[in-house]
Amino acid sequence: MKSGTASSAAGSTAGETAGTVRLGTPVGRGVLATTILGSAMAFLDGTVVNIALPAIGRQFSATLAGLQWTVTGYTLTLAAFVLVGGSLGDRFGRREVFLVGVVWFALASLACGLAPNIGFLIAFRALQGVGSALLTPGALALIQSVFHPDDRAKAVGAWSGLASIAGAAGPLVGGWLVEYASWRWIFLVNLPLAAAVVMIALRYVPETRETTSGHFDVPGAVLGALGLAGVTYALVEAGAKGLGATSVIVTGLAGLIGLVAFVLVERRSPAPMMPLSLFSSREFSAANALTLTAYGALGALFFFFATYLQVVGGYKPLAAGLASLPTTIVMMLLSSRVGGLTTKIGPRRLMTAGGALTAVGTLLLATAGSHPDYWLHIFPALLVFSFGLVMIAVPVTVTVLNSTTVERAGIASGVNNAVARAAGALAVAAFPLMVGLKGGGYADPAKLEPAFSRAMVLTAVLFAISGAIAWFGIRDEATRRTEDREPERAQCQTCLPIGSPPLEPDRRSEAGSGRGPGPGPGREAGVGSSL
């Protein structure tokens, strides 16, 4: 795919073309404001919902399965379509597709805020995920295609840093809204943000698109979505109906068949959304296996954590949101430093140590018991966990970007993002079944407390496995060979890695130098766009 060209937008963007906009100009500031506010909606929504789950459950008398689907409905559609969203922007115009995603996301948020029951909320959350899949890759694509090469790294850094604050603030904002207004406002707050994004974009953001367009991997996207949905449905329903229920067996088998078909289609597709040849790299395969285990554990941890604090610990929603502040602070302060250290010593030892520390931190959470004291039980555990998490999140991004050729860095990071999203969805579906929590048990402290402890032990096991994968699967020397690669432009400028956005592919080494942010909005739960 060739580099993109720009068509002038209306108003003050007249005369602006791809790659010429400077950061200090009105158009540059408008593009940056558009991408930051648009991304903030998606990142905020990815971290705010867990705080509201107890309140949603009480209002709708929802079962645990209903709350699981409230989280996974969004994550599944986002994971399935995020790569397609980037391709649509390349073909039809990045500004146009980005704005479609913003409006789509806003309308779905309005529907979520007005949902009359848990079933409608789940359906609208799934639609939200599709909107997020359109706008999330579009933000970085606009920055990389519009700004002058000398300003792109600065623009990406400003975008990632400011948008990360929105994701990190999610638990705090969510806790405040749930406690002093209503859980519905965690969705309705997106409406003024969306209106501001649309107005600024129409005035300042020039249109860009690729001069040539490839094929869309529609069969791959559909099979991936159906496969993930089938397996997730089986895991969620098994908790209520049992593993032997006909519906569980049928949907589980259908999901597995869908995933197998997805792999076969990707192998034969002329333009696959997930090129399987990427996995011929040992480091890329190991990094994604590590992502699957670590971010599966992370998704389960944050699904249980806020509910545990509120139901068992008696925390108010705002206090439950504030409880995760140590993780936010550690990630913001140490991401760049860990990125620089990754460049110096390689990712292997850092990620191995990170797996060990996150495992210890979650084991400490498992001992919090039925009367968790914040300073005695929660804070020390989260501090240890947070140091470990930053040692996983940043190096895995560097590893993914450096484990393939320059021209494939974008799609490699996008695949890694999708793996993280899918891992979180599957973990949220599977963990309640594995720890014996079902029905309305999440609202009963006597049932939730032992289930939470068992869940934390399981997350510790997964984190420990991720550390082992790093030690045995990653070779430091193989992730430092960027100097041998030709400085070509990446074919995909629309794909986000999990912990941080890639800079321009020909400046990929900056991702590990500390200048590019490490875990950022790509992670879920406020500690990176896939937290």
Side-chain angles (χ1 to χ4, degrees), residues 195-454:
V197 170
V198 171
M199 288 189 292
I200 298 171
L202 290 177
R203 180 168 183 179
Y204 292 108
V205 180
E207 183 61 282
T208 67
R209 57 172 55 87
E210 294 298 323
T211 54
T212 59
S213 299
H215 298 286
F216 289 116
D217 185 15
V218 175
V222 172
L223 287 171
L226 292 177
L228 285 173
V231 173
T232 302
Y233 180 88
L235 291 171
V236 171
E237 292 302 307
K241 300 178 181 178
L243 289 171
T246 301
S247 62
V248 172
I249 295 173
V250 170
T251 55
L253 288 175
L256 291 175
I257 291 172
L259 293 177
V260 172
F262 168 76
V263 172
L264 295 176
V265 166
E266 296 304 281
R267 180 176 294 174
R268 299 176 181 178
S269 173
M273 63 181 283
M274 183 179 288
L276 299 183
S277 59
L278 287 170
F279 292 91
S280 62
S281 164
R282 168 178 165 176
E283 278 64 41
F284 183 82
S285 298
N288 279 281
L290 186 152
T291 296
L292 189 69
T293 55
Y295 283 86
L298 194 63
L301 167 62
F302 282 99
F303 176 76
F304 279 95
F305 182 64
T307 301
Y308 165 77
L309 290 180
Q310 293 177 72
V311 173
V312 177
Y315 287 46
K316 294 291 186 181
L318 180 57
L322 286 169
S324 62
L325 198 57
T327 301
T328 301
I329 293 173
V330 169
M331 298 295 285
M332 293 178 68
L333 292 180
L334 297 185
S335 293
S336 293
R337 291 176 173 83
V338 172
L341 189 59
T342 302
T343 300
K344 292 180 180 179
I345 69 171
R348 179 173 177 243
R349 283 168 286 178
L350 286 172
M351 290 192 289
T352 300
L357 287 174
T358 48
V360 170
T362 47
L363 284 176
L364 290 174
L365 284 175
T367 66
S370 57
H371 298 90
D373 178 86
Y374 182 75
W375 295 109
L376 182 62
H377 301 113
I378 305 301
F379 178 77
L382 281 183
L383 198 60
V384 174
F385 165 80
S386 301
F387 280 111
L389 185 60
V390 75
M391 295 169 70
I392 292 176
V394 180
V396 78
T397 296
V398 176
T399 302
V400 166
L401 291 175
N402 289 352
S403 64
T404 185
T405 60
V406 173
E407 64 179 9
R408 306 184 82 185
I411 190 65
S413 63
V415 168
N416 193 231
N417 190 310
V419 169
R421 303 286 187 172
L426 293 173
V428 170
F431 264 58
L433 172 66
M434 297 170 69
V435 301
L437 189 66
K438 59 183 179 179
Y442 69 91
D444 184 348
K447 294 180 179 178
L448 179 58
E449 186 273 323
F452 174 78
S453 295
R454 290 192 290 269

Side-chain angles (χ1 to χ4, degrees), residues 12 22 52 81 132 159 189 194 200 288 305 312 354 357 388 416 441 461 514:
S12 63
R22 303 307 301 244
F81 296 112
S132 184
W159 167 76
V189 73
I200 298 171
N288 279 281
F305 182 64
V312 177
L357 287 174
N416 193 231
V461 171

